[in-house]
Amino acid sequence: MSEEREAVPFNRPFMTGRELDYIRQAHAGGQLAGNGPFTHRCQSWIEARTGCRKALLTHSCTAALEMAALLLDLRPGDEVIMPSFTFVSTANAFVLRGATPVFVDIRPDTLNMNEALIEAAITGRTRAICVVHYAGVACDMDVIMDIAGRRGLIVIEDAAQGVLSSWRGRALGSIGHLGAFSFHETKNVISGEGGALLVNDERFAARAEILWEKGTNRGSFFRGEVDKYTWMDVGSSFLPGELVAAFLYAQLEEAEAITRRRLAIWRRYHDAFETLERAGVLRRPVVPEGCAGNAHMYYLLLESGDARDALLAGLREDGIHAVFHYVPLHDAPAGCRFGRVHGDMRHTDDVAARIVRLPLWPGVEPHQARIVESVFRRLGHEYERQEAGAS
Ligand SMILES: *Cc1c(COP(=O)(O)O)cnc(C)c1O
């Protein structure tokens, strides 16, 4: 019983056990700057596992999105179509280049940008579509790539939450012209802060490497392709050091196992809450046909904002830390200043008020029955445990 009273955090970073060994190896090897052996191993892993043309490790998904915005050579007044129901970096990366985010509403089922609303938001200044695979659940990339192809637009996938998810057998992040991963400690595969830019369109590959290495052709120099390296273009220091890459490699090696474990936790929540969905007190996540998810998150949509707030408070009293997000970008102070809305934001506003995210991390399993019971009780229902001996 005492163990059951222990507070359950919303997230706890999962360690595979090999992180310190690899950091020790990097330390012993004497190369601590970026673009060394562990960086190459991580990038090869991402390329092999996703099928992207080229992967470049970055300090964060935010940095990878900033690289994408630089690669597009955006000018002030250019527009990028994106959802408002996302993290600030999706918009900020483009705003930093002077571009205008054009916010489009989400689908009420997957909570991804509604692909049917994209085409009407395109103007003569639209340069790109930045999709977000919310909760690691794929956007309809067939429709989106078709629109982009017909209208001459670039597609950037904010796949921060989508590592090891797929759409019709293709890894998220590898379908658009450019993709961005996050390895932030709240994501599935982590390095504290960390990310990667996935370059899928050959046109961007050589320049991406130059921007990444402070605007120099240092990469070509190390491959022996030029006999000195020099300033070639704009750029910045987007690459992490080898200690971070060493940590990340230990995680990538276990990424499939981590995902399987998360999927089992997700499935247990999903089965348990079926009766509450049938009773009409909440709605469970929807994973569309064609998507193989990565169980990045488990959320519930309550009947109203008040029911959501009451559930969050109740869970808190029971020692369970659940959270909500996102505060939509379109009517945030910076969203009003830098962005523009196309159409109404009905589902974005509605979902933001009614969503609850439950703890989902490898290691939460012993607490899961208690979390489920607490949700049932706080919603005025009784949960009958399925498994014998669960208490
Ligand atoms: C986490 C997240 C980011 C930012 O990732 P960082 O690695 O922290 O920069 C961007 N977009 C989405 C959708 C995210 O979930």
Side-chain angles (χ1 to χ4, degrees):
M1 202 62 197
S2 65
E3 193 194 332
E4 288 228 341
R5 291 293 104 210
E6 190 190 319
V8 183
F10 174 66
N11 183 55
R12 185 175 284 162
F14 175 73
M15 308 290 172
T16 68
R18 303 211 63 184
E19 289 86 353
L20 292 177
D21 288 343
Y22 288 159
I23 287 175
R24 212 168 279 119
Q25 274 183 39
H27 176 268
Q31 176 173 355
L32 300 180
N35 204 358
F38 278 106
T39 299
H40 297 157
R41 281 197 222 174
C42 290
Q43 292 178 169
S44 298
W45 189 97
I46 295 170
E47 287 160 7
R49 189 57 188 73
T50 69
C52 76
R53 203 171 283 266
K54 186 187 194 73
L56 295 168
L57 290 194
T58 56
H59 292 291
S60 59
C61 179
T62 302
L65 291 167
E66 287 175 15
M67 285 183 71
L70 276 169
L71 283 167
L72 263 55
D73 275 329
L74 295 175
R75 315 224 165 279
D78 285 348
E79 295 177 350
V80 179
I81 294 171
M82 65 180 67
S84 164
F85 191 64
T86 182
F87 188 64
V88 294
S89 297
T90 314
N92 238 341
F94 301 100
V95 168
L96 273 169
R97 306 262 65 80
T100 303
V102 175
F103 298 115
V104 167
D105 204 9
I106 52 173
R107 295 167 55 120
D109 55 357
T110 59
L111 316 190
N112 283 329
M113 180 159 62
N114 188 342
E115 66 279 3
L117 302 177
I118 292 175
E119 199 138 18
I122 297 173
T123 71
R125 314 203 71 165
T126 306
R127 297 287 314 284
I129 302 167
C130 186
V131 300
V132 177
H133 302 295
Y134 182 73
V137 172
C139 297
D140 188 327
M141 291 308 291
D142 298 330
V143 170
I144 291 162
M145 294 310 290
D146 175 62
I147 295 170
R150 282 189 287 105
R151 306 297 294 261
L153 304 176
I154 299 294
V155 174
I156 298 146
E157 295 179 77
D158 179 342
Q161 305 179 6
V163 176
L164 290 191
S165 285
S166 63
W167 171 251
R168 305 226 158 119
R170 296 173 71 191
L172 300 190
S174 76
I175 307 169
H177 301 83
L178 297 162
F181 278 174
S182 175
F183 303 119
H184 185 265
E185 79 166 34
T186 53
K187 302 301 201 287
N188 289 20
V189 175
I190 62 174
S191 59
E193 303 281 350
L197 177 72
L198 281 64
V199 181
N200 305 313
D201 186 321
E202 182 61 35
R203 274 179 295 172
F204 296 118
R207 187 158 181 245
E209 192 181 59
I210 288 170
L211 302 188
W212 184 63
E213 278 272 30
K214 298 107 176 162
T216 73
N217 56 351
R218 199 158 167 267
S220 302
F221 173 70
F222 282 130
R223 285 192 297 272
E225 295 161 9
V226 292
D227 58 10
K228 61 181 181 340
Y229 78 86
T230 188
W231 186 20
M232 303 294 288
D233 203 332
V234 295
S236 189
S237 179
F238 286 112
L239 65 170
E242 278 286 288
L243 298 182
V244 169
F247 187 106
L248 180 61
Y249 192 62
Q251 292 265 324
L252 290 173
E253 278 187 329
E254 292 299 317
E256 317 264 356
I258 291 169
T259 305
R260 277 196 299 276
R261 200 163 161 189
R262 295 183 73 102
L263 283 165
I265 297 165
W266 193 100
R267 176 49 61 187
R268 221 169 287 131
Y269 277 139
H270 205 61
D271 291 345
F273 293 127
E274 191 183 347
T275 56
L276 291 182
E277 187 172 70
R278 282 224 208 91
V281 298
L282 54 75
R283 211 212 78 196
R284 297 179 301 161
V286 172
V287 179
E289 214 186 300
C291 170
N294 64 355
H296 172 61
M297 114 177 36
Y298 198 85
Y299 67 80
L300 299 171
L301 287 178
L302 278 292
E303 286 179 285
S304 67
D306 289 344
R308 189 276 302 274
D309 294 344
L311 178 62
L312 279 175
L315 290 171
R316 189 68 75 121
E317 271 176 41
D318 293 343
I320 294 156
H321 190 178
V323 302
F324 68 88
H325 81 167
Y326 291 106
V327 178
L329 301 183
H330 67 274
D331 56 4
C336 296
R337 190 162 145 216
F338 298 120
R340 178 164 77 66
V341 161
H342 182 85
D344 71 61
M345 292 285 127
R346 179 172 3 155
H347 297 301
T348 300
D349 290 328
D350 175 50
V351 161
R354 294 192 293 119
I355 198 166
V356 173
R357 296 179 60 188
L358 298 179
L360 198 174
W361 36 274
V364 83
E365 295 91 333
H367 307 288
Q368 228 183 332
R370 182 181 142 207
I371 296 167
V372 168
E373 257 169 5
S374 177
V375 170
F376 269 72
R377 186 160 31 79
R378 295 289 174 176
L379 294 175
H381 287 253
E382 192 161 339
Y383 177 59
E384 284 170 32
R385 290 196 185 199
Q386 310 290 320
E387 305 134 280
S391 59

